[in-house]
Amino acid sequence: MYEIGDYVIKANNGVCRIDDILHLDLPNTDKSRLYYLLIPIDNKNAKLYVPTDAPENTLRKALDEEAAWEVIHKIPEVEAAWITNDKLREQAYKEAIHSCSPTALISIIKNLYLRRKQRIEQGKKNTATDERYFKIAEDNLYSELAFALGKEKSEMRQLIADTISRHTVPGDAVL
């Protein structure tokens, strides 16, 4: 169980602070059930209520600085999630984003980057679906890494590229 003041990751909401643990006094709710009151760091006016007994994959503790650097250094090792079937690929994107796993996000970002590059070489435009999931995955990953490292999200792409270029051989793919 998390504690008040902990920072957690919630799918589609990013980094959130646990502001309270409480019982909800609303019609049609179990008055004995405890909920986390989450406040997303990117939207301080939003309030999210998540049952404390929700499935394990609903929330996870936000990365700390050391774990964030580990994730960044492992980026070159993460395989792209190459899936040729459009419907299966979109489902994999959804699952990766819902998992809140940095490794899963990196995998689909790499896949989407490679797909974009391949489509451009073929004289095709990138699909709207690919663009949407690329933006979501990149935003989720960069938000958490920026939070953990005390940086701005806008700095993350360059920080990752610089870090990886110092630790890889020329020609390796970078995020």
Side-chain angles (χ1 to χ4, degrees):
M1 190 163 166
Y2 300 108
E3 297 179 12
I4 294 172
D6 285 350
Y7 287 91
V8 294
I9 303 299
K10 179 169 182 334
N12 301 321
N13 299 101
V15 181
C16 300
R17 182 181 186 278
I18 297 178
D19 206 50
D20 202 355
I21 301 173
L22 61 141
H23 297 277
L24 292 181
D25 189 18
L26 298 171
N28 302 320
T29 60
D30 180 353
K31 308 283 189 263
S32 65
R33 194 172 192 192
L34 279 173
Y35 289 81
Y36 295 116
L37 168 57
L38 305 179
I39 307 295
I41 64 167
D42 289 338
N43 184 0
K44 304 263 191 252
N45 295 325
K47 291 182 178 182
L48 308 170
Y49 297 94
V50 176
T52 59
D53 60 354
E56 294 250 342
N57 64 350
T58 305
L59 298 175
R60 73 163 171 77
K61 193 135 177 120
L63 296 174
D64 62 14
E65 184 176 4
E66 182 180 340
W69 283 115
E70 285 177 25
V71 166
I72 291 169
H73 287 112
K74 288 182 182 175
I75 288 173
E77 301 165 17
V78 176
E79 294 290 324
W82 195 257
I83 301 165
T84 54
N85 180 295
D86 288 344
K87 289 184 183 186
L88 292 177
R89 187 172 49 254
E90 184 173 3
Q91 183 60 36
Y93 295 164
K94 287 178 183 177
E95 289 171 6
I97 288 166
H98 187 70
S99 77
C100 300
S101 162
T103 304
L105 294 174
I106 292 165
S107 182
I108 64 171
I109 290 168
K110 281 185 165 186
N111 177 55
L112 290 165
Y113 173 81
L114 294 171
R115 272 185 50 81
R116 178 191 296 154
K117 186 176 173 185
Q118 182 183 56
R119 291 182 66 84
I120 289 170
E121 288 170 358
Q122 296 170 346
K124 299 176 183 177
K125 289 172 46 176
N126 207 14
T127 68
T129 300
D130 283 359
E131 285 297 321
R132 184 173 78 245
Y133 284 105
F134 184 83
K135 170 112 178 69
I136 292 168
E138 195 176 51
D139 189 59
N140 289 355
L141 179 66
Y142 291 177
S143 292
E144 183 174 8
L145 292 174
F147 169 78
L149 299 174
K151 304 277 185 189
E152 293 295 320
K153 185 169 47 172
S154 60
E155 298 175 61
M156 294 316 303
R157 183 184 303 233
Q158 191 62 51
L159 183 140
I160 290 169
D162 292 347
T163 302
I164 291 173
S165 69
R166 287 192 301 269
H167 294 88
T168 59
V169 294
D172 283 354
V174 180
L175 262 190

